[in-house]
Amino acid sequence: MGIKAALPKVELYLYTAVLGVALTWAGSWIVEASSENVSRKVFKSHVKPGWHYFGRKMDVSDFEWVMWFTTFRNHILFALSGHVIFAKICSMASPKHRGLIYMMYGSLAVLLTMGWAFMSMVLAHCFILYSVALIKRKWICFVAGLTSLATFKMEPLVSWQAGFVTGSFDLQDILFYGGCGFSIMRCMSFALENCEKKDGNYTFLDLLKYNFYLPFFFFGPIMTFDRFHVQANNPNLTRKDREMWNITVHALVHLGAILVVDVFFHFLYILTIPSDMKLVKQLSDWSLAGLAYSNLVYDWVKAAVMFGVINTVSRLDHLDPPQPPKCITMLYVFAETHFDRGINDWLCKYVYDYIGQNHDGIFRELVATICTFAITTLWLGPCEIVYIWSFFNCFGLNFELWVAKLFSLPPFSTIEGAMSEATSRRIRGLFNAVNFWQIILYNVLSLNSLEFAKLVAKRLIVTGFPLSTLSVLLVTYCGVQLIKERERKLQPSDYGAASLPPRRPTTAPRSSPECF
């Protein structure tokens, strides 16, 4: 009960007005803080010359974003353009062998970019995990795969392997860790799918086709082997109606998102401000709340743009890649929080859904989430901040189930049954507003620092109580109700009166710190 119910239009208009005014107010304070403190010592190292004709400097704190659109821009455009042209010609000439052709182009690009040592190391891991896959025991595949992944996430093995890759270009470290990490996850997917294959085994060539598909190789997303194998070997290359139009529209949307982020970086220094704790402590509670929220929205935009560009290329190759992450603004339950849908799908398929089954048993769900976040911790690189992030998000996911179980029992279920659906939706919205800020606080850990997250939590919960706490929750409640209304209109038949959202684990924002 709750989401399915409609609310009066006047009430929704009021929610829209409150939310709009609050976001504008908080945004104006962040703009003011950005403009008035640009001469501070911390800002000088993070804010560089930008739009000279507007007299604005640009926030360059995010090395990933700067790398993609300065140093890496020409490289990735050249490599992906070559792939698109090469793939189109070859798919027209030999559609039955396009998977092999993609592999040849991807392998050559990786070899020319990273050298023989890197290529040999990746092939060695692939061969080891392929050999393990022939045993057809899932637990052995997991042990071997996680051990291989640990060699790229934990010292001293990661430094030892990185030492084999010689060179001095700026992107070497990024490409090394990305290419190796995603390769291991793909090899594990291959091994686990081979365990499910009843008649014989997949070949080593099938693994190479899967792993060396260039658009996915260095930065993902991860498409599980079963999906990739079927799609890459499908000789039927006909397109659906308006498919090319949709691909073009998505490409233009991502280009627009890049321009919008560039504009924001010249006026909102949301990434630099949290690094100056003296300044942060001087900001109002509302500014801190807006700053924490803005950091998560930006990280979602960054992930959506990167995956969007790669997914556009893969769609041109007649693949159906994992979708971009769901916007953090649209999330009010931990069960739908993920910043990398490819990793999320991988975890759900091989760990979370496999152990948790239907996800309604408290103990089984606890075991499933602990195992899922243990692997996620290893994927991110074990360190203190990742341990804290994993613990709180694991707790949040389980706490949702515990609360849902509790409120499905009398007398709570009886009380809710006596309410109107609109009243039930409003009450649920209050709990969802609290949950929304738990998601913000738990995930801002991986974007900024533990000190910043603790300060935001203290100001909003302790020192800001009751005025700041209740006013922020009021605005959040308005936003949650508008999200519920959008969901109701988009999928009215999918939200029954007592239904719960599908259970899904969370994965960290892509810009979580590397801890090795």
Side-chain angles (χ1 to χ4, degrees):
M1 181 182 289
I3 297 179
K4 187 178 180 180
L7 296 179
K9 289 186 177 180
V10 174
E11 183 176 344
L12 294 174
Y13 292 151
L14 177 62
Y15 293 155
T16 304
V18 171
L19 183 63
V21 171
L23 290 177
T24 303
W25 194 12
S28 66
W29 284 346
I30 297 176
V31 171
E32 182 179 350
S34 301
S35 300
E36 293 183 353
N37 297 279
V38 70
S39 59
R40 294 175 67 93
K41 182 179 180 179
V42 174
F43 278 62
K44 290 181 180 180
S45 59
H46 294 279
V47 179
K48 302 297 182 181
W51 292 344
H52 299 286
Y53 37 87
F54 282 119
R56 301 296 306 184
K57 293 185 176 181
M58 180 179 178
D59 191 338
V60 295
S61 299
D62 190 340
F63 78 96
E64 283 186 307
W65 188 271
V66 174
M67 175 191 70
W68 292 341
F69 298 104
T70 55
T71 309
F72 198 33
R73 178 185 57 199
N74 296 333
H75 298 276
I76 192 171
L77 287 176
F78 178 78
L80 292 182
S81 297
H83 173 86
V84 170
I85 297 172
F86 187 74
K88 184 62 177 178
I89 294 173
C90 294
S91 63
M92 294 173 61
S94 181
K96 292 183 179 180
H97 301 95
R98 60 194 181 98
L100 178 62
I101 296 168
Y102 296 159
M103 182 207 74
M104 293 171 60
Y105 179 85
S107 300
L108 181 61
V110 172
L111 177 62
L112 294 176
T113 304
M114 300 296 291
W116 279 106
F118 176 85
M119 192 72 169
S120 300
M121 183 174 56
V122 172
L123 286 173
H125 280 277
C126 289
F127 182 76
I128 292 172
L129 293 177
Y130 172 76
S131 301
V132 172
L134 299 179
I135 303 175
K136 289 202 169 186
R137 293 292 185 270
K138 287 187 176 181
W139 71 270
I140 298 178
C141 293
F142 262 110
V143 170
L146 295 178
T147 301
S148 292
L149 183 62
T151 64
F152 293 108
K153 299 295 181 178
M154 302 174 68
E155 294 290 2
L157 292 175
V158 60
S159 296
W160 175 68
Q161 292 185 94
F164 288 107
V165 183
T166 58
S168 58
F169 63 100
D170 295 336
L171 302 172
Q172 179 176 297
D173 290 343
I174 302 297
L175 298 181
F176 173 83
Y177 293 116
C180 293
F182 280 107
S183 290
I184 299 302
M185 299 297 279
R186 284 188 287 265
C187 288
M188 290 182 67
S189 178
F190 171 88
L192 293 170
E193 293 299 332
N194 193 67
C195 293
E196 297 290 338
K197 186 176 175 60
K198 296 181 180 180
D199 51 336
N201 299 285
Y202 293 109
T203 66
F204 187 60
L205 184 61
D206 290 328
L207 174 57
L208 296 183
K209 291 178 184 178
Y210 173 48
N211 188 57
F212 286 99
Y213 177 68
L214 184 62
F216 295 164
F217 183 81
F218 287 112
F219 299 114
I222 292 177
M223 178 187 286
T224 55
F225 175 76
D226 56 329
R227 293 181 57 196
F228 180 88
H229 184 69
V230 171
Q231 295 176 27
N233 290 283
N234 181 14
N236 183 13
L237 302 183
T238 58
R239 295 194 182 277
K240 300 177 182 178
D241 293 340
R242 298 178 62 82
E243 184 175 354
M244 282 303 301
W245 169 257
N246 291 333
I247 292 175
T248 303
V249 169
H250 280 99
L252 293 175
V253 168
H254 295 126
L255 178 60
I258 294 172
L259 297 176
V260 169
V261 171
D262 196 53
V263 171
F264 282 168
F265 275 175
H266 284 83
F267 292 91
L268 300 171
Y269 302 151
I270 58 173
L271 304 181
T272 296
I273 292 176
S275 61
D276 189 343
M277 291 305 299
K278 290 183 179 180
L279 172 60
V280 169
K281 291 177 181 178
Q282 299 173 10
L283 298 179
S284 66
D285 296 344
W286 266 96
S287 296
L288 277 180
L291 195 60
Y293 166 75
S294 300
N295 270 258
L296 260 72
V297 171
Y298 162 70
D299 196 74
W300 167 79
V301 171
K302 183 174 67 173
V305 167
M306 190 189 75
F307 287 136
V309 172
I310 294 173
N311 287 355
T312 299
V313 175
S314 62
R315 287 192 178 97
L316 292 174
D317 293 337
H318 298 270
L319 299 180
D320 183 19
Q323 296 299 309
K326 190 174 182 180
C327 180
I328 188 67
T329 303
M330 308 301 292
L331 298 174
Y332 50 84
V333 290
F334 280 91
E336 296 182 353
T337 308
H338 48 260
F339 288 77
D340 185 332
R341 199 182 294 264
I343 293 291
N344 189 76
D345 291 345
W346 192 101
L347 290 168
C348 288
K349 181 176 177 63
Y350 301 121
V351 183
Y352 186 67
D353 290 339
Y354 181 78
I355 299 175
Q357 296 180 357
N358 56 4
H359 302 294
D360 61 356
I362 291 179
F363 177 75
R364 185 178 288 274
E365 178 74 359
L366 180 62
V367 173
T369 52
I370 290 175
C371 292
T372 299
F373 279 98
I375 295 176
T376 306
T377 300
L378 178 61
W379 164 254
L380 294 173
C383 65
E384 181 185 13
I385 198 71
V386 174
Y387 295 146
I388 296 172
W389 174 89
S390 294
F391 172 80
F392 279 110
N393 279 275
C394 184
F395 168 78
L397 192 62
N398 282 278
F399 187 70
E400 282 183 346
L401 179 62
W402 302 338
V403 172
K405 287 283 188 182
L406 176 64
F407 279 84
S408 66
L409 301 174
F412 301 107
S413 59
T414 305
I415 295 173
E416 186 178 25
M419 299 177 182
S420 66
E421 289 189 352
T423 302
S424 174
R425 171 175 161 174
R426 294 185 184 101
I427 293 176
R428 286 177 177 244
L430 293 173
F431 288 99
N432 294 146
V434 175
N435 216 33
F436 182 90
W437 272 101
Q438 288 186 81
I439 294 173
I440 296 293
L441 293 175
Y442 294 169
N443 286 282
V444 81
L445 284 167
S446 59
L447 299 179
N448 300 113
S449 65
L450 178 60
E451 187 178 3
F452 176 72
K454 288 168 61 178
L455 178 63
V456 175
K458 181 179 179 181
R459 292 279 289 274
L460 293 184
I461 299 174
V462 182
T463 60
F465 186 85
L467 183 60
S468 297
T469 306
L470 296 180
S471 59
V472 169
L473 287 179
L474 173 63
V475 173
T476 307
Y477 168 81
C478 295
V480 167
Q481 292 294 3
L482 294 176
I483 296 166
K484 286 176 176 283
E485 185 65 19
R486 180 178 181 272
E487 292 174 342
R488 186 187 70 84
K489 291 181 177 179
L490 289 177
Q491 298 175 318
S493 62
D494 290 349
Y495 295 95
S499 64
L500 292 173
R503 303 290 297 169
R504 286 292 182 267
T506 74
T507 49
R510 289 187 60 85
S511 54
S512 57
E514 295 176 352
C515 304
F516 38 78

